[in-house]
Amino acid sequence: MTKIQARNRLYLLLVAIVIGLLAPLVVYPVFLMKILCFALFACAFNLLLGFTGLLSFGHAAFFGGAAYVTGHALSVWGLPFELGILAGTLAATVMGAIVGKLAIRRQGIYFAMVTLALAQLIYFLCLQAPFTGGENGQQGIPRGFALGILDLSNNTTLYYVVLVIFALGFGLVYRVINSPFGQVLKAVRENEPRAISLGYDTDRVKLTAFIVSSALAGLAGATKAVVFQLASLTDVHWHMSGEVVLMTLLGGVGTLIGPVVGAGVVVTLQNTLSSGPLNAYVPVVLGGIFVVCVLAFRRGIVGEIKALIKQSF
């Protein structure tokens, strides 16, 4: 990285920090928190698809599974906020290790179908298990206090806590991508046989990436459960897995900031359309956007912008 690139990234980071701190003064905090939760979810998914080349159709299992575990930990076990979030994240990590161990034995569409099938098992488990609340879900999940002093019943206070969680998750993704391990992930994505010939255990690399991605998806789901005080079947349904694919493709697969932009666009569209005459057609509109994205600009919003900048210079 050149000095100019490092300086530009520092400027962008400072701008992002300022926007993040001032945003709740302009926009409703709950809406912002929803964007942050889904942005972290999309970044976790992009780590697997964009940088490892593995398409998972079952990431909702980790997102929603963590939400249920966190809700149960806070509501029934009475754990504090931090331990509740940690419990959900650990549950998603364990599920990711089990699902990943089975799924990485296959490649391509077979890998995607295995993840989808296993995710549907989690969905039906959540539907039948007594602690999940069935079709009613877990409602009234207590927010509690962060660090024992920050009252999370205040939306603005909770927003800044969620912002810190997102920043930590995003920072982890950035660190992984820009580490030697991240370079191996890219090598596996580009040419797995060549990576094997260089001596890398690609199965272990893919499993590690899958577990990290699952853990971050679980962190996003656990945080969302606290924000909305709800964990429902929607969180583990295959539609949720489809939404995170859309967010990632729309923002830009294989880009660092793309999933954040994609999540912001999709969540904004959902909230805008759901309150208007097109309420019943939100899935149709999102599906149309997905088709246009795939056909017209496959690199996504951020990918196309980066391409235009390169052409300009």
Side-chain angles (χ1 to χ4, degrees):
M1 183 188 300
T2 65
K3 291 184 178 180
I4 296 178
Q5 289 176 326
R7 184 180 61 189
N8 291 339
R9 289 192 176 185
L10 179 60
Y11 289 156
L12 289 175
L13 177 61
L14 293 175
V15 170
I17 292 174
V18 172
I19 292 176
L21 293 175
L22 298 180
L25 302 178
V26 182
V27 185
Y28 186 45
V30 175
F31 173 71
L32 292 173
M33 287 187 282
K34 184 177 181 181
I35 291 179
L36 290 176
C37 291
F38 279 103
L40 180 56
F41 186 24
C43 287
F45 179 78
N46 186 50
L47 179 63
L48 196 62
L49 175 62
F51 294 96
T52 315
L54 299 176
L55 174 59
S56 169
F57 278 147
H59 254 49
F62 316 120
F63 182 80
Y68 275 113
V69 172
T70 295
H72 188 75
L74 295 176
S75 302
V76 180
W77 296 343
L79 296 182
F81 167 79
E82 298 85 359
L83 293 182
I85 295 290
L86 180 60
T89 304
L90 288 177
T93 304
V94 172
M95 285 193 294
I98 296 173
V99 173
K101 189 68 174 178
L102 296 172
I104 63 170
R105 300 181 182 184
R106 295 293 179 265
Q107 297 180 350
I109 190 62
Y110 303 105
F111 172 87
M113 290 298 101
V114 170
T115 58
L116 175 60
L118 294 175
Q120 286 301 99
L121 289 177
I122 301 297
Y123 170 81
F124 287 112
L125 175 63
C126 293
L127 178 62
Q128 299 294 334
F131 79 93
T132 62
E135 294 183 354
N136 295 323
Q138 295 176 348
Q139 303 180 27
I141 298 173
R143 290 180 173 178
F145 292 80
L147 303 177
I149 55 175
L150 300 175
D151 185 5
L152 300 182
S153 62
N154 183 291
N155 286 333
T156 303
T157 302
L158 180 59
Y159 165 78
Y160 288 113
V161 173
V162 173
L163 181 63
V164 171
I165 293 174
F166 169 78
L168 292 175
F170 186 82
L172 177 61
V173 172
Y174 176 83
R175 184 68 188 92
V176 168
I177 291 172
N178 292 280
S179 67
F181 177 72
Q183 299 305 312
V184 178
L185 292 181
K186 296 174 185 176
V188 172
R189 177 194 64 190
E190 296 298 330
N191 195 324
E192 185 175 349
R194 179 172 293 180
I196 294 174
S197 69
L198 293 174
Y200 292 109
D201 187 345
T202 56
D203 283 346
R204 179 178 295 181
V205 170
K206 290 189 289 186
L207 178 59
T208 302
F210 196 97
I211 293 174
V212 173
S213 178
S214 302
L216 289 173
L219 178 61
T223 306
K224 178 181 175 291
V226 175
V227 170
F228 291 96
Q229 299 181 277
L230 173 69
S232 67
L233 292 175
T234 303
D235 298 328
V236 290
H237 199 271
W238 66 268
H239 283 170
M240 185 64 71
S241 296
E243 282 189 17
V244 75
V245 173
L246 172 60
M247 293 173 185
T248 306
L249 290 178
L250 183 60
V253 178
T255 62
L256 184 63
I257 200 68
V260 179
V261 175
V265 171
V266 171
V267 172
T268 301
L269 284 172
Q270 288 175 337
N271 281 267
T272 302
L273 297 175
S274 61
S275 59
L278 296 177
N279 179 33
Y281 302 98
V282 172
V284 177
V285 174
L286 293 179
I289 293 174
F290 177 78
V291 172
V292 172
C293 176
V294 171
L295 294 178
F297 49 104
R298 296 185 178 183
R299 288 174 290 197
I301 296 173
V302 174
E304 291 294 336
I305 292 175
K306 290 176 65 175
L308 289 174
I309 293 176
K310 287 183 180 180
Q311 291 177 1
S312 300
F313 295 95

